[in-house]
Amino acid sequence: MNSRLPSCVRLRLLEFLIQSARQLQVRPIVKYSALSLFSDRFCPALSRFRQSNDMESWLLHPLRESNLQLFSLVSIWISSKIHDSQPLSVKSLKLLGDKMIKEQHFTTRDFLEAVLGFEIGTANIAFKFLEELFVEFEGVARVGQLVNVEASMDIMDLLYEKEETSLLYYSPRNLAASILVATYVVTVPKQKWEFPVLPWVKFVTSCKEEDVLNIVRDILKHIFEPSSSVEELQGSFGTYPLH
């Protein structure tokens, strides 16, 4: 396998990670921190890891899909250690690996060795910003209770799986703001569009309204059927005051 992952392999690995997170019943913050570790940090750095003389571990030389499945499990483990007061045990990860990874059998030591393949740092992830936005939104607008949080996480899962939208992740704050707006458009009945969500998002995040709208259009384009909802939203709320 080349150091640059083929799109089909990347998709299978992300689906494996999401499915594993579901099997382990981890909290959303753990799942999305793991996705950030694996997709946004580890996978782009594979080329550097493989070329480094310091990374001669058999887990990366040669690179197999089953090895990368191990790294995706380890990303969940690391994320749980960061965010959970009682983190997942390596035993629980190994049991799941034995069940889900068919091509190879990994030992506890392999899991510990795989930890060395990560650059830790998950404070700046889109889901963390999105959680904060939902709390603030529900605090200032009654309609915030109608925005489906589960739908927003479905959107984020699909964005991670679709490589053509991976460029959206260059700004986690912009992405979080855009997912909130997209979820508002999709899950709140149109007759309830009473709150100036775009100006509010711009106000609380300092994101440019144009940047948010562009990402929302991308979300609707790649995940849902093409819709004029964004333009309708902008026309309805774009000039409303914040109070």
Side-chain angles (χ1 to χ4, degrees):
M1 185 183 297
N2 294 330
S3 57
R4 179 179 174 83
L5 293 179
S7 297
C8 59
V9 175
R10 177 184 177 277
L11 174 60
R12 289 198 299 268
L13 289 168
L14 293 177
E15 289 175 340
F16 177 87
L17 192 157
I18 291 170
Q19 183 182 0
S20 298
R22 188 179 299 116
Q23 291 281 332
L24 292 164
Q25 299 182 330
V26 300
R27 295 185 298 142
I29 186 63
V30 174
K31 179 175 76 171
Y32 291 112
S33 293
L35 280 166
S36 179
L37 276 170
F38 186 75
S39 178
D40 303 340
R41 291 170 172 78
F42 178 76
C43 286
L46 275 176
S47 178
R48 187 181 75 247
F49 288 160
R50 297 192 71 199
Q51 293 170 7
S52 170
N53 293 328
D54 297 328
M55 292 297 293
E56 291 297 331
S57 167
W58 72 272
L59 293 174
L60 291 170
H61 301 277
L63 199 60
R64 302 182 180 93
E65 187 169 340
S66 55
N67 299 69
L68 294 176
Q69 289 175 327
L70 168 67
F71 279 97
S72 72
L73 288 178
V74 169
S75 72
I76 298 175
W77 184 29
I78 293 172
S79 178
S80 176
K81 285 179 174 293
I82 294 171
H83 295 290
D84 289 339
S85 57
Q86 293 184 323
L88 294 168
S89 66
V90 66
K91 181 180 178 180
S92 65
L93 272 295
K94 183 183 180 305
L95 286 173
L96 184 63
D98 291 343
K99 175 183 175 182
M100 296 185 65
I101 302 175
K102 306 299 183 183
E103 290 76 15
Q104 291 193 66
H105 173 78
F106 293 104
T107 66
T108 300
R109 182 174 180 178
D110 295 331
F111 277 86
L112 296 173
E113 184 177 340
V115 174
L116 300 176
F118 286 93
E119 299 175 12
I120 306 303
T122 57
N124 190 40
I125 67 168
F127 182 74
K128 193 171 183 65
F129 293 131
L130 184 60
E131 273 193 319
E132 295 170 357
L133 281 176
F134 269 118
V135 171
E136 291 186 57
F137 192 29
E138 289 186 0
V140 300
R142 201 180 318 174
V143 73
Q145 298 176 1
L146 299 179
V147 180
N148 190 309
V149 178
E150 293 295 325
S152 72
M153 291 189 285
D154 288 341
I155 289 173
M156 190 171 288
D157 286 351
L158 288 168
L159 286 174
Y160 266 108
E161 292 173 0
K162 288 178 176 288
E163 190 169 16
E164 66 267 25
T165 61
S166 62
L167 291 177
L168 301 180
Y169 289 85
Y170 79 94
S171 172
R173 193 179 296 274
N174 277 10
L175 181 60
S178 304
I179 289 174
L180 175 62
V181 173
T183 308
Y184 183 100
V185 171
V186 172
T187 64
V188 175
K190 193 174 298 186
Q191 61 270 26
K192 298 286 187 180
W193 287 4
E194 303 168 349
F195 185 80
V197 63
L198 284 170
W200 179 80
V201 162
K202 176 183 176 181
F203 176 73
V204 298
T205 66
S206 299
C207 295
K208 295 180 180 179
E209 188 171 302
E210 181 181 354
D211 292 342
V212 172
L213 284 171
N214 285 337
I215 297 177
V216 172
R217 288 190 186 96
D218 237 5
I219 290 171
L220 296 179
K221 175 183 176 182
H222 291 294
I223 295 181
F224 305 102
E225 291 299 320
S227 169
S228 61
S229 296
V230 180
E231 283 68 26
E232 292 173 2
L233 183 69
Q234 186 178 26
S236 299
F237 297 141
T239 57
Y240 277 25
L242 294 174
H243 52 276

